[in-house]
Amino acid sequence: MRETSRGIAYRVDDMTPPWRSGARPVLLMHGIGTHSDAWGDWVPVLAGDRPVIRLDMRGWGRSDVLTDGQADLDLLVEDLWDVVDETGMTGPVHLAGESLGGTVVLAAAIARAERTASVQMFNAGFRGDALGEVGNWTDQFAGGVDAWAARMMKNRFAPDIPLTPALEWFERTQRETDPATASALGAMLRKTDLSEGLAGLTVPVTLVLPDGSPFVPVAHGVDATLVNPRITLKVVPGTRHGLPYSHAEQEAAEMRDRLRRIDAGG
């Protein structure tokens, strides 16, 4: 892992063969309760096509801790673009994120549309007051981080999803969550409203939602398409908030193909 001067850990994976050089890179941003390693099943699918940038959001993984007053969306956006600058990649970048990470990449695209090739959001929202569960986190953490993590696993994964080694890793990692960090970012998310910026965004935006997330209802995705009719909304049946991980290879392959079409002008 490399680290920016702002204390943000990141890495770049690039297995692009020389005959495919020049494809626009994609940046992957995780959500609350995990870190950049959660994209492990996505990287082999994507990195043969283009450089893949992964960062640990401030407060998670190997990045600096989140101090009092730092639960600020603008700061997370600045961290993201600082990572892109540190890589030396100067052209437009595809931005992809899940849950809070999806909201961050949308805000980053609104802030720097000229540097954004597309936005790919998974189980993520644009308006915090429409989201569920997050407002209850303070009470949930009162029962301890293990109780919160166990509830989050039920929110993320349906009972019929087999407990694979990947999901076991996810559960262990989630139990390392700092309650103050998660609660502060959850409160920040609840106050977020990107409606105005989303309405004026002209880069391609894809919003992929589970049909059973207790955080981001499908109705919220429909609202997003009313704010900006150019948005492509896809709903995946039989899934919960852990969609990017329970269906990692499938969603990664579909995004790979979407990015190819966008880069080709389609």
Side-chain angles (χ1 to χ4, degrees):
M1 297 286 284
R2 310 176 198 174
E3 186 174 301
T4 71
S5 59
R6 298 163 63 94
I8 304 303
Y10 73 97
R11 65 178 294 169
V12 179
D13 295 285
D14 187 0
M15 296 178 283
T16 312
W19 53 89
R20 277 199 199 130
S21 62
R24 292 165 175 160
V26 59
L27 179 143
L28 305 178
M29 174 72 92
H30 65 87
I32 288 172
T34 185
H35 51 72
S36 60
D37 288 351
W39 298 104
D41 282 337
W42 288 64
V43 173
V45 179
L46 299 173
D49 245 25
R50 62 192 67 245
V52 178
I53 307 166
R54 288 182 284 165
L55 68 150
D56 288 347
M57 189 185 300
R58 185 179 294 269
W60 304 95
R62 290 141 291 211
S63 289
D64 278 1
V65 298
L66 191 74
T67 59
D68 290 345
Q70 284 191 326
D72 179 82
L73 186 58
D74 290 341
L75 178 64
L76 299 181
V77 167
E78 290 170 8
D79 288 341
L80 183 156
W81 286 119
D82 192 51
V83 165
V84 176
D85 288 341
E86 290 270 349
T87 68
M89 301 177 191
T90 57
V93 177
H94 295 286
L95 303 178
E98 69 93 15
S99 195
L100 172 58
T103 305
V104 173
V105 299
L106 176 60
I110 292 169
R112 301 293 300 274
E114 77 284 356
R115 296 196 64 185
T116 305
S118 77
V119 177
Q120 310 289 320
M121 300 171 65
F122 297 85
N123 43 278
F126 68 97
R127 208 181 69 239
D129 63 359
L131 307 182
E133 276 285 314
V134 179
N136 302 321
W137 278 0
T138 299
D139 292 339
Q140 291 174 17
F141 276 120
V145 68
D146 285 355
W148 172 85
R151 183 180 179 90
M152 285 290 289
M153 289 299 288
K154 293 179 180 178
N155 287 336
R156 291 186 192 272
F157 305 110
D160 58 347
I161 295 290
L163 191 61
T164 63
L167 267 61
E168 290 177 346
W169 174 92
F170 199 99
E171 183 172 19
R172 289 195 306 273
T173 301
Q174 197 162 247
R175 292 181 187 277
E176 299 171 1
T177 294
D178 173 58
T181 297
S183 296
L185 289 173
M188 176 205 76
L189 184 59
R190 291 283 291 172
K191 295 184 291 185
T192 296
D193 188 347
L194 300 176
S195 301
E196 183 177 352
L198 176 62
L201 199 59
T202 59
V203 302
V205 178
T206 301
L207 176 56
V208 181
L209 292 181
D211 67 345
S213 170
F215 294 96
V216 188
V218 172
H220 185 66
V222 175
D223 288 345
T225 66
L226 296 176
V227 171
N228 186 330
R230 293 180 294 272
I231 291 176
T232 299
L233 173 63
K234 173 194 167 188
V235 178
V236 182
T239 57
R240 296 186 182 176
H241 201 69
L243 165 67
Y245 307 114
S246 62
H247 294 61
E249 293 181 14
Q250 170 188 323
E251 292 302 322
E254 290 191 19
M255 189 176 81
R256 176 199 62 204
D257 294 343
R258 275 198 306 276
L259 299 189
R260 287 177 179 176
R261 291 193 296 270
I262 292 169
D263 284 350

